[in-house]
Amino acid sequence: MRGRADAAQSKKLVTSLCIVIVFVGLLFLYNGSFFGRKGQPASGAFEYRNKISRSLGWGSDDDGEVGKIDESIFAHEGGDNNVRLKNFPVCDDRHSELIPCLDRNLIYQMRLKLDLNLMEHYERHCPQPERRYNCLIPPPPGYKVPIKWPKSRDEVWKVNIPHTHLAHEKSDQNWMVDAGEKIVFPGGGTHFHYGADKYIASIANMLNFTNNNLNNEGRMRTVLDVGCGVASFGGYLLSSDIIAMSLAPNDVHQNQIQFALERGIPAYLGVLGTKRLPYPSRSFELAHCSRCRIDWLQRDGILLLEVDRLLRPGGYFAYSSPEAYAQDEEDLRIWKEMSSLVERMCWKVASKRNQTVIWVKPLNNDCYMSREAGMKPPLCRTNDDPDAVWGVMMEACITPYSEQMHRASGSGLAAWPARLTTPPPRLADLQITTDTFEKDTETWQQRVDSYWSLLSPKIKSDSLRNLMDMKANIGSFAAALKDRDVWVMNVVPEDGPNTLKIIYDRGLIGTTHDWCEAFSTYPRTYDLLHAWTVFSDIEKRGCSAEDLLIEMDRILRPTGFIIVRDKRPVYDFINQYLKALRWELITSVDAEPNSDSENNEMILVIQKKMWNPHRSLMDSA
C-alpha cells in the first residue's frame, strides 16, 4: 500500500511540475520574449495575437495589457507629448518575399482542400487574424535602391531579386539574362524571341492599324496580358501610350511579377481559377495570351467567358499558341473546339497569321439575341452584376452589354489622351454628374500639385515610378499625374462604390481590394502609397490599423514615400509607430489650413528608411 501511495504521490508531483512548466512557458510567450516582441528584434518572428483584440483593432500595450475600448481606435493615442512608443520584431530572412494571402506554407498549415486542376491553390487564401505575421519584412542582404525608369525596363539589380532560374529555364526565349551584378531583359518571350516591339508591331499590322502602331490613334489604351511572364509585352506597350495590366500567378515560374514590378512595369498577381478577376466588366480593349498555358476549353469555356466579360464592345483577343497553327492531331482538335466555342460566343476572326490568331467581339447585342434557343454558353442572368468581382465565382455564361452600350454600338469613349478628362458614359451608372466629375478632377490636380511641393525637397524627377492610390474613388489622383513618368495602381475598396469601371474608362488601371487583408503583390514593389481616409475607413469596419501599417511597410520600397491624408487622430496614431517601422516623418500640414472645422484633414509625408535587418532597432533608427 505504501509503495502505491508513493507512486501516486510521485505522479501528482510530476503532474504539478508539468503544469508549472506549461504555465511558465505560456507566460513567456505572452510577454513576447520568445518572439522578440519586447527588447531587440528577433529572427523567426511569427506571433499569434489575441483574436478579439485584433478583430476590433485594439492596441496592445508593451506590458501585454489589452487597451481599453474607446469610441475610436485612434482617439486614445493622444498628442506628441503622450506618445507610447511601439516596437515590431523583424521577420526571419526566409520571409523576405512573403505574400500573406498567397503563402503556400499557410495553405499547407491550414490543410485547405483545394482543387489543383482548377488552380484554387494559386488564388487568394488569407490567414486568419490570429495567424498573421506581426513583424517587418526584411530586404534581402545587400539590397540596393532599384534602378530608375526607363533604364529599369531593361535591367535590375540581381541582389534585389536573387533568382536566376527563369534565366536558365527560358534561356532560348530571351526572357532574361544573368549578367553578373544585374539581370538583363532583352524583351523576348515564348512566342516573340526576337523582341516584344516587333511582335507588337506585327499584331498592329494584322489589324491594319495606321503605321503598325497598336495604339490605333488613341482608340487602344487598356490591355490585359494573361500569363505575362516578366511582362516585357506590357513594358514595350508603354512607349505607344498603351497601359497593360500584366497578370500572372505565383506559380512554378515564381518571381515573374516581382521582376515586372522591379522593372517599373504595371503588374498584378492573379490567376484565372474559380473566381472573377478583380476588374469590372468592359475594362480592356485587348486581351493577350502568348503561350499562357491555359486550358480555355475547360468547364464549358468558363475562363474564356471571363475574358469576354472584361473586353469592351469591339475588343480583341490576341492568342499566340500552337493550336493556332500546328497540324498535329491534338492541336487540330483543340483548335476546332475552340473555334466552335468562340463562334457561339459571337466572336469573329479578325486576322490569323503564322502563330497568332486575333478574334474580335461584337459591337452590340444583336448576335446574342439572334442565337438559337438553348445554345451554350447561355447568356448570364439578368440580375447578374458583371461588375461585382470581390470573391465572386465565375460562371460559364455570356455577359451581354448594357442598354447604353448596345444603343451606342460601342463603349462611347474618347480616344486617348482626351479620354482621361472626358466624362465617360458609365458615370450615369453611379449617379455621378459631369459637373461632379470635372470638379473632382480639378480638386485632385490642386492636391497633387501640393503633394509634389511637399515632396520636392526629397525627390528628383526620376525618384518615383510605381505608385498606388489606396482609395482611388474615380481616379483623379492618377489623372493629375498624367505629365509625370509614373503609373498608378488605383485601388477601389470592395465595400465602397464600384467606381473602378470609371477609372478604366479614363484609360487608367487598377483593382478591387479589401484593406482588412494583405494586397496581392511582393514586398518592396511600390515607390509611393497614397492613403486618403483609408485608416478612417477601416476603423469603421473594426479592422486593425496596426496591421495596415505593417502591410504598407511590406509593399513599400526602402526610401519610398507614404502620403496619408486623414483626420488628426490618425496622425497621432501613426506617429507612435514611426520609430518602430523605421519611418521618418518628412512633414505634416493641415490639408486646409484656413478651415476652422474640427474634422479638418491633415497631410503626413513619410519616408521609409533603408535599414539593415541584421542590426538592432537602435542602430538602424
Side-chain angles (χ1 to χ4, degrees), residues 288-307:
H288 171 255
C289 160
S290 174
R291 284 299 290 272
C292 53
R293 301 189 307 152
I294 293 175
D295 177 7
W296 295 108
L297 296 175
Q298 65 174 282
R299 294 176 283 160
D300 300 318
I302 193 170
L303 303 184
L304 202 60
L305 288 159
E306 173 64 359
V307 172

Side-chain angles (χ1 to χ4, degrees), residues 423-472:
R426 288 201 284 187
L427 281 177
D429 295 353
L430 299 165
Q431 287 79 52
I432 299 175
T433 65
T434 296
D435 185 58
T436 299
F437 176 87
E438 292 173 346
K439 286 182 177 178
D440 189 76
T441 301
E442 181 181 354
T443 295
W444 279 102
Q445 183 66 62
Q446 295 170 356
R447 290 178 174 180
V448 169
D449 289 344
S450 175
Y451 292 161
W452 244 250
S453 296
L454 297 173
L455 284 166
S456 59
K458 286 285 185 177
I459 63 171
K460 299 178 181 179
S461 59
D462 64 352
S463 294
L464 305 177
R465 175 60 184 170
N466 302 354
L467 277 60
M468 177 186 288
D469 191 2
M470 298 173 67
K471 184 184 175 184

Side-chain angles (χ1 to χ4, degrees), residues 245-443:
M245 178 64 81
S246 296
L247 183 79
N250 185 26
D251 62 7
V252 292
H253 293 151
Q254 293 179 50
N255 307 105
Q256 51 193 340
I257 292 297
Q258 190 178 19
F259 279 119
L261 290 164
E262 183 76 7
R263 298 172 70 186
I265 300 171
Y268 184 83
L269 277 164
V271 65
L272 281 166
T274 64
K275 298 175 182 176
R276 286 178 172 176
L277 293 177
Y279 318 122
S281 67
R282 319 306 176 221
S283 293
F284 302 98
E285 274 92 33
L286 170 73
H288 171 255
C289 160
S290 174
R291 284 299 290 272
C292 53
R293 301 189 307 152
I294 293 175
D295 177 7
W296 295 108
L297 296 175
Q298 65 174 282
R299 294 176 283 160
D300 300 318
I302 193 170
L303 303 184
L304 202 60
L305 288 159
E306 173 64 359
V307 172
D308 180 83
R309 180 184 71 84
L310 296 172
L311 283 174
R312 301 193 195 278
Y316 299 97
F317 178 52
Y319 183 56
S320 296
S321 187
E323 297 86 43
Y325 65 89
Q327 297 298 310
D328 64 82
E329 184 176 344
E330 179 62 12
D331 287 327
L332 288 171
R333 180 192 67 79
I334 293 173
W335 174 252
K336 181 179 180 180
E337 291 185 22
M338 198 164 176
S339 297
S340 173
L341 172 62
V342 298
E343 183 179 359
R344 286 179 274 118
M345 291 167 54
C346 293
W347 291 12
K348 295 185 181 299
V349 174
S351 183
K352 186 173 183 290
R353 183 188 304 168
N354 299 330
Q355 302 178 356
T356 304
V357 59
I358 304 174
W359 286 287
V360 60
K361 283 191 62 177
L363 289 169
N364 54 43
N365 290 330
D366 288 349
C367 176
Y368 304 141
M369 298 299 106
S370 63
R371 298 190 323 154
E372 296 180 5
M375 180 178 287
K376 292 186 177 180
L379 297 182
C380 296
R381 302 183 310 274
T382 55
N383 63 350
D384 175 69
D385 181 1
D387 300 324
V389 296
W390 192 251
V392 176
M393 303 299 290
M394 294 181 194
E395 291 189 40
C397 59
I398 299 171
T399 306
Y401 303 130
S402 66
E403 283 297 321
Q404 178 271 323
M405 284 188 177
H406 173 68
R407 290 193 301 269
S409 286
S411 59
L413 299 175
W416 179 265
R419 180 183 300 187
L420 186 64
T421 52
T422 302
R426 288 201 284 187
L427 281 177
D429 295 353
L430 299 165
Q431 287 79 52
I432 299 175
T433 65
T434 296
D435 185 58
T436 299
F437 176 87
E438 292 173 346
K439 286 182 177 178
D440 189 76
T441 301
E442 181 181 354
T443 295

Side-chain angles (χ1 to χ4, degrees), residues 134-260:
N134 183 32
C135 50
L136 303 182
I137 303 295
Y143 179 86
K144 297 182 180 182
V145 174
I147 295 170
K148 304 302 182 183
W149 182 267
K151 193 176 181 181
S152 64
R153 188 194 72 174
D154 302 323
E155 60 182 32
V156 301
W157 295 117
K158 187 199 299 183
V159 71
N160 289 5
I161 310 179
H163 302 284
T164 58
H165 57 283
L166 281 174
H168 304 300
E169 183 179 342
K170 303 289 184 180
S171 60
D172 61 331
Q173 299 171 13
N174 280 329
W175 278 34
M176 48 189 276
V177 176
D178 185 349
E181 288 188 338
K182 296 178 180 178
I183 293 176
V184 175
F185 301 88
T190 306
H191 255 76
F192 42 94
H193 305 175
Y194 301 107
D197 51 349
K198 296 180 179 63
Y199 175 70
I200 291 167
S202 70
I203 292 176
N205 180 265
M206 290 173 67
L207 295 172
N208 295 317
F209 288 171
T210 304
N211 298 324
N212 292 338
N213 190 338
L214 198 60
N215 173 278
N216 192 25
E217 299 177 337
R219 290 186 286 272
M220 180 80 72
R221 169 61 183 172
T222 53
V223 169
L224 176 67
D225 187 17
V226 181
C228 64
V230 293
S232 290
F233 181 76
Y236 279 80
L237 283 174
L238 290 165
S239 60
S240 298
D241 272 341
I242 298 173
I243 189 165
M245 178 64 81
S246 296
L247 183 79
N250 185 26
D251 62 7
V252 292
H253 293 151
Q254 293 179 50
N255 307 105
Q256 51 193 340
I257 292 297
Q258 190 178 19
F259 279 119

Side-chain angles (χ1 to χ4, degrees), residues 13-31:
L13 182 60
V14 171
T15 302
S16 299
L17 188 60
C18 290
I19 291 173
V20 170
I21 292 172
V22 170
F23 176 78
V24 171
L26 290 174
L27 186 63
F28 188 71
L29 294 178
Y30 182 77
N31 283 327

Side-chain angles (χ1 to χ4, degrees), residues 65-77:
E65 180 182 356
V66 177
K68 296 179 181 179
I69 303 175
D70 286 299
E71 293 181 0
S72 166
I73 61 175
F74 307 122
H76 65 284
E77 302 299 343

Side-chain angles (χ1 to χ4, degrees), residues 392-565:
V392 176
M393 303 299 290
M394 294 181 194
E395 291 189 40
C397 59
I398 299 171
T399 306
Y401 303 130
S402 66
E403 283 297 321
Q404 178 271 323
M405 284 188 177
H406 173 68
R407 290 193 301 269
S409 286
S411 59
L413 299 175
W416 179 265
R419 180 183 300 187
L420 186 64
T421 52
T422 302
R426 288 201 284 187
L427 281 177
D429 295 353
L430 299 165
Q431 287 79 52
I432 299 175
T433 65
T434 296
D435 185 58
T436 299
F437 176 87
E438 292 173 346
K439 286 182 177 178
D440 189 76
T441 301
E442 181 181 354
T443 295
W444 279 102
Q445 183 66 62
Q446 295 170 356
R447 290 178 174 180
V448 169
D449 289 344
S450 175
Y451 292 161
W452 244 250
S453 296
L454 297 173
L455 284 166
S456 59
K458 286 285 185 177
I459 63 171
K460 299 178 181 179
S461 59
D462 64 352
S463 294
L464 305 177
R465 175 60 184 170
N466 302 354
L467 277 60
M468 177 186 288
D469 191 2
M470 298 173 67
K471 184 184 175 184
N473 196 23
I474 58 174
S476 294
F477 170 85
L481 293 164
K482 61 182 180 299
D483 296 325
R484 302 185 186 275
D485 209 1
V486 300
W487 66 271
V488 180
M489 178 66 77
N490 293 279
V491 180
V492 171
E494 58 86 24
D495 62 330
N498 198 346
T499 56
L500 191 56
K501 58 186 173 184
I502 305 304
I503 290 169
Y504 274 94
D505 285 354
R506 299 183 77 168
L508 305 168
I509 61 168
T511 185
T512 304
H513 185 62
D514 179 356
W515 282 116
C516 292
E517 300 176 358
F519 193 77
S520 292
T521 193
Y522 281 88
R524 302 173 300 280
T525 46
Y526 284 88
D527 297 303
L528 184 144
L529 308 177
H530 176 240
W532 170 50
T533 68
V534 175
F535 285 90
S536 292
D537 289 344
I538 68 164
E539 174 197 12
K540 298 171 185 175
R541 301 184 57 196
C543 301
S544 170
E546 186 177 293
D547 281 353
L548 181 58
L549 288 173
I550 294 172
E551 173 62 6
M552 292 169 71
D553 182 78
R554 185 185 73 86
I555 64 181
L556 186 67
R557 286 172 168 173
T559 73
F561 295 88
I562 297 172
I563 299 175
V564 177
R565 189 186 192 97

